[in-house]
């Protein structure tokens, strides 16, 4: 009945010479990056009505035992497009979903996978329950009709750090915290692919709204750098076979830390910090000034508070 009504409406629009607006289409194109391993690479842009939030890297393993999906994208429509793209690659059924963290561009495609177990760290599930609806509402404002029908679907399985065997792949699950307080990184020890989630950004400015602190994030990067991987998949930006993305992310974080520490030491206000000069090596990154402004809002008050405690007289 719904399809019939839609067809009648389209016919009426054509009859009166009015344009028929096609539904948004993500046009996802997976590419193979390792044995059994496929990547759908997002754009290094901000959310917009032009891209529908297609700014995130998602991946899947297509094995004889079925398909394992890593993150589901920013909307129900994206999740459905991802599932269709998987079906073009393999006839094997989707068996499981792993979520790297709770941010909306990574988890709001869950509806398309509600028939299989969706697993995440306990902290990720808690953050989705607390913040998911607000984040979905914000995504509706940012990308509009691409979000039609999208609702938050919470994980139904809690992950613990350790080894997960799937379809001949040995997946090492790491429970980290630097980006959101609950961040899953996955090292496929069989292929050497490291799925880093948003602990690593590559050739794109970092987002910092939920980080527990730059020190924690840098410690996570040290841990990831010590692993035996041969290819890294960042949460945003191009993949790499060297440690360039890790070094770039760490360099950016240390620059933020120095900028905020020095600004707090001289008593700079937030508006002044937002206009800080950006080093040449970061200035051309997509969203460089935008993310500095956001990071100042998120993080700089902590540096001001630390400076106030440092200057406060001893009791």
């Amino acid at each position: 009945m719904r399809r019939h009504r839609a067809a009648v409406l389209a016919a009426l629009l054509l009859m009166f010479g009015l344009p028929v607006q096609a539904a948004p289409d993500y046009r996802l194109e997976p590419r193979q990056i390792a044995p059994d391993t496929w990547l759908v690479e997002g754009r290094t842009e901000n959310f917009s009505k032009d891209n529908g939030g297609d700014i995130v890297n998602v991946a899947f393993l297509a094995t004889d035992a079925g398909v394992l999906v890593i993150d589901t994208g920013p909307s129900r429509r994206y999740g459905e497009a991802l599932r269709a793209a998987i079906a073009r690659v393999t006839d094997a059924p989707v068996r499981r979903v792993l979520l790297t963290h709770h941010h909306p561009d990574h988890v709001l495609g869950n509806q398309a996978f509600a028939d299989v177990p969706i697993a995440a760290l306990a902290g990720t599930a808690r953050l989705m329950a607390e913040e998911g609806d607000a984040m979905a509402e914000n995504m509706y404002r940012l990308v509009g009709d691409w979000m039609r029908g999208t609702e938050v679907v919470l994980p139904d399985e809690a992950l613990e750090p350790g080894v997960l065997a799937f379809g001949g792949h040995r997946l090492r699950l790491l429970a980290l915290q630097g980006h959101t307080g609950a961040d899953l990184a996955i090292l496929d020890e069989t292929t050497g692919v490291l799925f880093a989630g948003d602990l690593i950004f590559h050739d794109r400015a970092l987002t910092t709204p939920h980080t527990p602190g730059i020190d924690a994030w840098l410690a996570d990067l040290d841990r990831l750098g010590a692993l035996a991987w041969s290819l890294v998949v960042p949460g945003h930006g191009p993949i790499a076979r060297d440690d360039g993305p890790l070094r770039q992310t760490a360099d950016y974080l240390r620059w933020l830390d120095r900028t905020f520490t020095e600004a707090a030491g001289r008593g700079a206000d937030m508006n002044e910090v937002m206009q800080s000069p950006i080093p040449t090596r970061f200035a051309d990154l997509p969203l460089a000034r935008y993310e500095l402004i956001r990071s100042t809002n998120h993080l700089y008050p902590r540096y001001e508070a630390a400076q106030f405690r440092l200057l406060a007289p001893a009791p």
Side-chain angles (χ1 to χ4, degrees), residues 243-261:
D243 66 352
L246 281 82
R247 290 187 288 105
Q248 185 184 64
T249 301
D251 187 21
Y252 187 98
L253 289 168
R254 292 191 181 100
W255 165 66
L256 277 183
D257 181 62
R258 288 194 302 272
T259 297
F260 293 158
T261 298

Side-chain angles (χ1 to χ4, degrees), residues 6-48:
V8 170
L9 176 59
L12 289 172
L13 289 171
L14 288 172
M15 182 185 302
F16 290 100
L18 298 175
V20 179
Q21 191 162 10
D25 183 358
Y26 282 101
R27 302 182 184 278
L28 303 183
E29 296 292 340
R31 77 176 192 271
Q32 190 167 11
I33 58 173
D36 298 336
T37 309
W38 296 77
L39 173 72
V40 180
E41 186 172 347
R43 310 176 194 184
T44 53
E45 302 173 353
N46 202 356
F47 299 112
S48 75

Side-chain angles (χ1 to χ4, degrees), residues 1 25 64 81 90 116 143 168 187 200 220 228-229 234-235 252 267 273 294:
M1 181 65 71
D25 183 358
D64 292 340
T90 177
V116 301
V143 306
L187 173 61
I200 297 177
D220 286 350
W229 52 267
Y252 187 98
V273 179
R294 293 182 73 213

Side-chain angles (χ1 to χ4, degrees), residues 192-263:
V193 178
L194 172 63
F195 302 96
D198 281 8
L199 289 165
I200 297 177
F201 284 64
H202 187 202
D203 292 343
R204 189 227 193 255
L206 278 63
T207 63
T208 63
H210 294 96
T211 180
I214 287 176
D215 288 347
W217 200 330
L218 289 170
D220 286 350
L221 292 175
D222 286 342
R223 187 171 174 189
L224 293 179
L227 298 173
W229 52 267
S230 58
L231 186 151
V232 60
V233 178
H236 300 265
I239 63 175
R241 296 190 179 277
D242 59 27
D243 66 352
L246 281 82
R247 290 187 288 105
Q248 185 184 64
T249 301
D251 187 21
Y252 187 98
L253 289 168
R254 292 191 181 100
W255 165 66
L256 277 183
D257 181 62
R258 288 194 302 272
T259 297
F260 293 158
T261 298
E262 293 170 2

